[in-house]
Amino acid sequence: MKRPASATASDRWVRLLLRLYPSDFRDEMGDAFVEAYHDRCRAAAERGRGALAAVWLRALVDSLWNGVGERLRPAVAWRRSGNWGRDMELAARRIRRSPVFALSVIGTLTIGLGAFAVVTAVIDKVLIQPLPYHRPNDLYFVWRDYTAWFDLKRGWVGGPDVAALDTAGGPIAGAVGLRLDQRTLSTNAASAGNPELIPVMISTPKLFDLLGVRPLLGRTFAPSEGGENRAPVIVLGYDLWQRRFGGDRSIVGSDVRLNNTPYKVIGVMDEGFHFVRHSSLGAPERADAFITFAYSLAGQSPRSGAFAALVRARPGASPQQIMAAVAAVGAAIDERTFNHKGLRLYPVGLEADLVAPVRPALVVLGLSALVLIIVLTVNLATLLLTRAAHREREFAVSRALGANRAALVRATLAEAGILGALGGFGAAIIAIWGTRMLVALAPLDLPRRESIAVDWRIGMVVVAVGALLGLCAGVAPAFWATRSTLATLLRQAAVRGGGRGRLRRGLVVMQVALSLVLLSAGGMVARSFEQLLRSHPGFDPEDVLTLRVEVAPWRYPNNASAVAFDDQFQQALAALPGVVATGASSAVPLTANTDQRDVRFPTAPGNTGQSDRDEPLVDVMQSRAGWFRTLRIPILAGRDFAPPRAGAPREAIIDRTLAAQFFPSGGAIGATLVIGDTLHPLTVVGVVDHARQYDLYRDGRPQVYLRDDDDTYGPLYFAVRTTRLPLDLVPDIRAAMRRLDSQLAIADVRTLDDIVNQSVRQQRLSAVLVAGFSLGALSLAAMGLFGVVAGTVAARRHEIAVRLALGADNGSVLRLVLGEGGVLVALGFVVGVPGVLLTGSVIRSALVGVSPFDPLTLSGVVTGMMIVTLAACYLAARRVTAIDPAGAFRGE
């Protein structure tokens, strides 16, 4: 029978439209596509030509839309590449059909990996990425080791030491000397009413050449721009250039004033240049501008350690060669200057020296993040295993239809990998916000703090880690699905349970164990921080404002004029509304800004005849009357400083440490004190408590306070105790300074509370992050327990229904299920004990005032974990009370 012309035309039209689809679609779906349209065309032809034309037009629109979509879809390339492409496409469809499961997995990964990404960003920027200098691994700081005759291993070097290192040759390519100073900056003489006290780095001319950096504008120092006859030139830091000069590019070639001396601006450093001078005692110090020494370092006193030294190794020189070369220079100086007293010079890598104070905290954070990632992986495996349990019937049907084990593995891993990658993508977004918050919480002296951020490289790593975690977690359900026979899968699908129970329970035990490890570490760090905050530093920081004033020599050339100004300024501060006490000193507690000298008490009963003990190295500070009252440093014996009188002896006040050592039975008041080689002995007029200078939780060196009126010691830190908010005084203080001397600047305006908080900011950050990781791990463990117990109830629904039908009450069945959850928790505690012991040994160095195996903290951690985990078990086990035996039997 001859086919109708309309049927032939429809066939040609449909096959023409099929060409719009990709070849793999035509191969797989072409026949079904043509047959479906034949049926539509036959039905339309019976209704008339108009209906047939409508079907043809609809087919054209559908083919244009779907055909182009099929060609553009990434799944096309995946299908062409083999079974993995189809598996990824099907996995994406399954994820879309289970939004609650997908959101729970992605949300868990987003939070956990986000925290991991934040810590990774910090570790990457601080510990891993090289410093932005030319061959940074060849740069070393050099220190003096004085421990042969007093307790100072990390001391400044002398000027001749720097000169000797620079000319040593061999593996040492060159050296520069550094010193940080505070200078009053003004743009010209007419702008003296707007002075600013800035940190200025003074160095030998080849600092920038040694570092291998170039300026953004202008040039750096020439070799001739150093020494006694140098031209006064200055290189500005980028931040100062932007803040003070508004980024004006014409600043190069113009003059600015430092301490009223004109300096010609020859360059501006790039935004990424943040060189710091490593401190011998405190935090690294950053400069806003750079100038050169107005004297030769070789001509300075060889006995005075007053400079930092930076050396560069020649290409290929090993650290051992540099150490030997530096030690040889030190030995020559010790022989020539100190008569073999034991002075030693030693180098420390620039980067290692910079990160040494924060390395323990970063190691603890890194380990915490690693444990959290493991807990995340285990939790994800538990969720996927639960997901696989719900798909038992699907696996059984797939195996019955001919799917092999490889197909099941691909399907499971594809779904897990997609979920992991999506969680990693969300974590990368969360981490951008998290790093900003961390930088805000981080201590100001955290190395390379300004560069900490999540860039595209870290973001890609987080996404890759998320996908990898998903694949690792997917191994467990994939292994379970492939190791079971077809008959086993069908039997397990029929009874809604199966062999995954032991594997899921094992994963939950691992989660509990890892959570115990992380939570114990978090508890120890938090307890350590609590002990730190409870430490009494020897002073009261509340309601105290501190500020720095430098009485410039070009304004007050002698001691009498400087003392007179300090008196006037202190009186002006005392007259401000709300001020109850004022004082001044050369060092504020917890700033490590003291001078170090050796002292002796010639007639003290505590002398032993051993010079090492009888001439200790102490912290020396210049102070004015009122300092102890303002900071509420207790005066334990004697009195405060008295106003100086002509012919009266110079006065000193010592701390309780020195008094206990040299005057164990009392009698320090009136004793004679000699500092170094001075010809002016001092009389002890008071004994005060020890005000900590370096650490909030432990005493530092013994302390001696000298009366500032006797000999002005340069810049002073004034302290004001007030009944008002301390920072509210700042405008009044600046106005008072302008009335007294408009050419002097006020700097370092901080409350004493801020200084205390800054001193513990690193510990606070560690405590917050580790505690956060710990709580996250505990939450994941609780979720895992909830899932296992809920799955147990679902799997044993028939058994529970039988028990209830035979007379068991809900309470007894509830206790049965809770008992199984309690066993998992107990096993997790047992398995976690070795990890707790190992972690305690690792974090021991980061703890203050608490043992890593503190029984009180460990018992609190265990109790808290038991409450949370058993509560999760109980919430899941309550589902047994909703089981109706009759309904369960009808369902079976």
Side-chain angles (χ1 to χ4, degrees), residues 500-625:
R500 83 279 183 186
R502 285 191 298 272
L503 183 56
R504 290 174 63 193
R505 291 182 177 87
L507 291 174
V508 169
V509 169
M510 185 183 300
Q511 276 186 273
V512 173
L514 291 172
S515 299
L516 177 65
V517 172
L518 193 51
L519 202 62
S520 65
M524 295 301 173
V525 172
R527 181 80 187 282
S528 171
F529 183 64
E530 179 196 8
Q531 292 292 106
L532 186 62
L533 292 180
R534 293 172 60 183
S535 301
H536 182 61
F539 58 92
D540 180 5
E542 292 187 6
D543 302 322
V544 176
L545 182 72
T546 64
L547 52 111
R548 177 187 172 108
V549 175
E550 183 164 2
V551 182
W554 53 273
R555 295 288 296 164
Y556 303 93
N558 54 59
N559 186 64
S561 60
V563 169
F565 173 82
D566 289 337
D567 288 339
Q568 292 175 354
F569 186 61
Q570 188 168 350
Q571 291 169 9
L573 293 178
L576 295 177
V579 172
V580 296
T582 64
S585 178
S586 60
V588 176
L590 298 177
T591 61
N593 198 30
T594 65
D595 190 19
Q596 288 77 47
R597 309 273 187 90
D598 55 310
V599 302
R600 65 183 188 276
F601 297 85
T603 59
N607 284 327
T608 62
Q610 301 175 2
S611 60
D612 290 346
R613 182 186 181 280
D614 295 345
E615 298 181 15
L617 185 70
V618 303
D619 287 334
V620 177
M621 293 158 279
Q622 303 284 130
S623 297
R624 296 174 64 83

Side-chain angles (χ1 to χ4, degrees), residues 708-771:
D708 179 69
D709 308 64
D710 293 331
D711 186 12
T712 298
Y713 186 74
L716 283 178
Y717 291 88
F718 285 84
V720 178
R721 181 171 292 278
T722 176
T723 57
R724 300 163 55 186
L725 291 176
L727 292 177
D728 288 349
L729 288 174
V730 175
D732 295 338
I733 293 174
R734 294 192 184 279
M737 174 60 78
R738 285 194 296 269
R739 287 193 298 269
L740 291 177
D741 191 334
S742 61
Q743 296 189 42
L744 294 186
I746 294 174
D748 294 339
V749 179
R750 294 185 292 173
T751 67
L752 201 50
D753 269 330
D754 287 341
I755 294 174
V756 172
N757 290 333
Q758 182 64 32
S759 71
V760 297
R761 211 162 183 178
Q762 180 177 317
Q763 291 87 345
R764 176 184 286 109
L765 180 63
S766 300
V768 169
L769 290 180
V770 174

Side-chain angles (χ1 to χ4, degrees), residues 66 107 115 124 368 476 574 736 772:
N66 295 325
D124 176 67
S368 300

